[in-house]
Amino acid sequence: MEKKKNKKVFLKVVIIGDSGVGKTSLIHRYTSTRFLQDFKPTIGAEFSNKEVVINGKTVVAQIWDTAGQERYQSLGISFYRGADCCGIVFDRSDHSSFENLDTWKNAFLKHGAPKEEGTFPFLVIGNKSDLDDGSLVKERDAQQWCADNGNLEYIETSAKDNTSVEEAFTKLIEKGMEREKVNLVELPDRMSQKNKTVNLQRDVAKDVNRKPQKKKCC
Amino acid sequence: MDGETPPKRLSLALRHNKSECFSVLPICEPTTPTSCVTPLVEDEFDFLSFDSLTFEEHKGLTGCHKEIYVDELLKRPIPNSLVSQKSPSINFSFSNESSDSYEKGKSTFPKIKMVKRKVTKKDYKIGPKDKPLNLKNLKRIVFAEKLKESPFRCPCQKIEGQFCCFNAQEWINNLNAIIIKKDSFGLEIGIMNKINIEKYLEQKEVYESILKSSHDRSDSSSSSGDSFFGDLSKKKESVKTQILKDIPRTFSNLDIFGYASALQKLYRILYSCFIYDHQLGYTQGMNMVAGALLMHTEESIAFWLFITLLEDYDVRDVFTNTHESLKKHCVCIEKLLQHYHPVLANHMKQNDIRAEMFASGWVLSLFCCVIPAPFLHSFLTRFFKKKWSAFYSVCLSILAYLEPSIMKINDLPDFFEIYRELKLDQDFIKYEEKQYVDNEHVMDSLIKWRRILKNSETNYRGISSQLKKLRV
């Protein structure tokens, strides 16, 4: 128990994006190194863990896989809050999922209500790069969108071919850790008291969300 | 194009089966009775006997199941297995004659012409330029579904001459409410005394009239340009797209959902449900519930059972835009847990495991995405009998079963592992018993779920009165 307290860093990674863009497949590829053809739509949210060592630190990434249908965005309050970083996934062969990036980013900021709206670490992931038939969303366009939306980073992946999946998540986790350094300086102290980041996140969420939370709970 | 007979509007979706085969799923307008759908192709070679086919371009089906549009399909090189086994002298090419006239928004579709000709080496070179094609990796394309008689049936006990199995009959017996149905325009479209097997044909008619009305309205919407109908048709498109994304992902591990006809039925049920209740639309999770019902009954009965669940069992609130009652159910689960298993409840609270985290998926699919298929009907039977208290008792029973492992955890990620494992059972356990008798892991899961469901029945008898107390 003792070693857990001080060495491990817990990060909450939230993956969002349109339905069927491959969020679950990406996560599955990353956490269990397999690609699943048969899958069910994510209902509500699902969770996975992955322990990685980044810059000499052991990080336990809690990856929250969310439902992609637009109307599930209203559940965001429960799932997005307390996130350390967020990956927005789109399907490169489905232009409408690219056009919806705006909606997703805004929904995340609205419902997740992170402290730093402008600088919150997002990573834009263009998935299904294996379906290349010349009509995919172009890297230039995606880069352009990212530049217009606060210089976000962009990466192209394929969960099926296992292209850049590991890289994408590593980037995402690194971003989350950077944010933690900047914002949550007292983390080690607090962690040794309470033994988890979750409480911390809760504090953050409470500050921002106190009123709406109360409303919901009655 | 004038003067030609209107093309059959068929969209193709290819469902990827475990056996590395594709089967074709023709999705037609829901008004087309299943029997009218011409079997598209008998096998890969009959496909060639069509001189020309017209296809609707469909962007709907993406997701985990591989979808190949017809033209894309034809661009693909011949699979190795196919070449070696059968005559190598037949291949198809395609010419997209009317591609110029095809514009977005217009109702002309790209026309694809298939011509028989010899295989040349060139055929193998089509594909992404920089990627050498590995013929071994190509999927064999088989058009298996003939849409004759559906082999789609549950292995439950059957009653002679009935339209549903023994279990579904029990659900129907539990329905006592008189149902007067109105569509979203306020028109009465059918009055029925409960779902009644004797009135089966009558109910089927009403169901089909709903299917039909969807078609009529869509016609008037496109011509009138009325803004109300405009909005409606827009919504219709998005609902359609979403349903099409989800149906191939519904119980995809079960063989009985591997048939195009089964998916088509599911599509028709979900789409009629949208026609029946525009306000509700379609929410992910509905596919699982409707699929679970469809496993055991005939299409129109499944539809009415689904509507009954929505309207008379307070399931509708779960699926609305705001998911109104989700919060309520989560609070109930937490309170009941506190009452029945206080130690466990406190431990979970300490670790910040909230009901909305683990139970959202349970509520939003009525357990249909968690409980393995062979046990689903017994849960549904109890739900039809006892409504939500049956649901809560299963929640408690699951958590109680997991108690020893949950008590060991000391952070959230550990809980995630337990939660994930629970969800995996549904993927492992197939309906057909033969397939799992010698698999130890599956047997364990079976025993586990049998116990969970049994405990839920016996350990929480006073739950409904407890529920009333808690609510006050």
Side-chain angles (χ1 to χ4, degrees), chain B residues 168-214:
Chain B
Q169 177 100 54
E170 213 177 318
W171 303 342
I172 293 162
N173 291 342
N174 283 321
L175 305 174
N176 292 311
I178 293 171
I179 310 157
I180 299 168
K181 299 292 178 197
K182 286 185 178 177
D183 71 2
S184 33
F185 292 85
L187 303 170
E188 217 163 83
I189 50 171
I191 302 169
M192 283 176 305
N193 300 318
K194 64 180 178 177
I195 299 180
N196 190 329
I197 300 290
E198 279 114 59
K199 291 196 174 172
Y200 166 74
L201 287 174
E202 216 174 282
Q203 281 148 5
K204 196 172 175 178
E205 234 167 72
V206 181
Y207 171 63
E208 267 157 20
S209 78
I210 295 172
L211 280 177
K212 200 164 177 295
S213 75
S214 74

Side-chain angles (χ1 to χ4, degrees), chain A residues 50-206:
Chain A
K50 173 108 174 178
E51 207 174 297
V52 277
V53 179
I54 288 177
N55 302 334
K57 264 190 177 170
T58 311
V59 182
V60 180
Q62 314 163 11
I63 306 171
W64 291 53
D65 182 12
T66 59
Q69 199 186 1
E70 209 178 316
R71 57 168 65 185
Y72 277 122
Q73 282 176 5
S74 60
L75 293 183
I77 300 167
S78 327
F79 300 137
Y80 303 163
R81 70 176 168 190
D84 294 296
C85 51
C86 170
I88 317 178
V89 187
F90 70 93
D91 173 357
R92 290 188 63 208
S93 68
D94 176 4
H95 286 251
S96 67
S97 74
F98 174 61
E99 283 150 24
N100 280 343
L101 285 178
D102 280 314
T103 329
W104 282 108
K105 188 176 169 238
N106 293 335
F108 180 84
L109 291 174
K110 186 182 159 204
H111 297 300
K115 261 188 194 166
E116 0 57 314
E117 268 205 23
T119 57
F120 186 83
F122 285 103
L123 177 69
V124 180
I125 302 168
N127 193 29
K128 302 200 191 176
S129 297
D130 54 289
L131 297 177
D132 196 356
D133 61 348
S135 67
L136 295 185
V137 172
K138 295 205 170 53
E139 195 186 343
R140 207 184 39 209
D141 296 344
Q143 292 286 13
Q144 187 58 47
W145 186 89
C146 292
D148 295 346
N149 282 273
N151 274 327
L152 305 181
E153 208 166 325
Y154 172 65
I155 189 164
E156 288 177 350
T157 61
S158 160
K160 192 180 178 189
D161 298 351
N162 199 6
T163 317
S164 311
V165 177
E166 179 108 28
E167 206 184 325
F169 279 96
T170 310
K171 243 179 208 170
L172 201 50
I173 292 167
E174 276 171 359
K175 277 171 181 292
M177 284 177 70
E178 260 167 49
R179 169 186 184 259
E180 197 153 293
K181 264 187 220 154
V182 177
N183 289 300
L184 309 169
V185 201
E186 347 111 83
L187 181 74
D189 275 357
R190 288 247 203 137
M191 274 183 73
S192 54
Q193 279 168 20
K194 297 198 172 178
N195 190 21
K196 52 193 171 284
T197 46
V198 190
N199 278 337
L200 246 189
Q201 290 156 3
R202 231 186 175 182
D203 293 346
V204 175
K206 260 184 199 165

Side-chain angles (χ1 to χ4, degrees), chain B residues 12-174:
Chain B
L12 284 188
L14 296 173
R15 186 188 163 90
H16 183 253
N17 292 333
K18 282 233 173 66
S19 50
E20 295 284 288
C21 290
F22 287 103
S23 60
V24 169
L25 158 69
I27 296 157
C28 4
E29 283 297 315
T31 43
T32 324
T34 321
S35 53
C36 292
V37 181
T38 350
L40 249 188
V41 271
E42 298 249 334
D43 60 38
E44 56 267 57
F45 288 101
D46 270 350
F47 195 58
L48 303 173
S49 63
F50 286 87
D51 273 331
S52 71
L53 280 171
T54 309
F55 294 96
E56 180 183 355
E57 188 185 295
H58 218 295
K59 278 280 177 190
L61 267 146
T62 50
C64 307
H65 290 276
K66 181 73 186 106
E67 167 199 27
I68 306 176
Y69 305 131
V70 171
D71 52 346
E72 203 185 312
L73 179 107
L74 295 176
K75 270 187 236 165
R76 289 199 159 210
I78 313 177
N80 210 12
S81 54
L82 214 151
V83 176
S84 56
Q85 281 169 20
K86 303 207 176 177
S87 157
S89 63
I90 305 173
N91 186 19
F92 35 68
S93 74
F94 84 112
S95 64
N96 200 338
E97 281 183 338
S98 56
S99 66
D100 292 338
S101 68
Y102 176 67
E103 283 167 40
K104 269 187 184 170
K106 285 190 180 175
S107 56
T108 47
F109 304 113
K111 203 171 179 184
I112 296 156
K113 204 168 188 179
M114 270 154 265
V115 187
K116 291 182 192 178
R117 64 171 173 78
K118 278 192 174 177
V119 186
T120 60
K121 274 195 173 172
K122 247 187 181 176
D123 291 311
Y124 295 103
K125 285 183 180 165
I126 315 168
K129 275 174 202 161
D130 43 354
K131 257 191 221 166
L133 277 169
N134 184 355
L135 286 172
K136 275 181 194 162
N137 286 342
L138 289 168
K139 306 280 185 287
R140 189 165 166 234
I141 298 152
V142 181
F143 304 95
E145 182 65 29
K146 286 189 189 174
L147 293 176
K148 283 193 301 190
E149 202 180 317
S150 168
F152 181 69
R153 53 208 297 249
C154 54
C156 312
Q157 197 186 335
K158 299 285 182 309
I159 308 164
E160 202 58 43
Q162 297 295 20
F163 301 95
C164 55
C165 72
F166 189 76
N167 290 307
Q169 177 100 54
E170 213 177 318
W171 303 342
I172 293 162
N173 291 342
N174 283 321

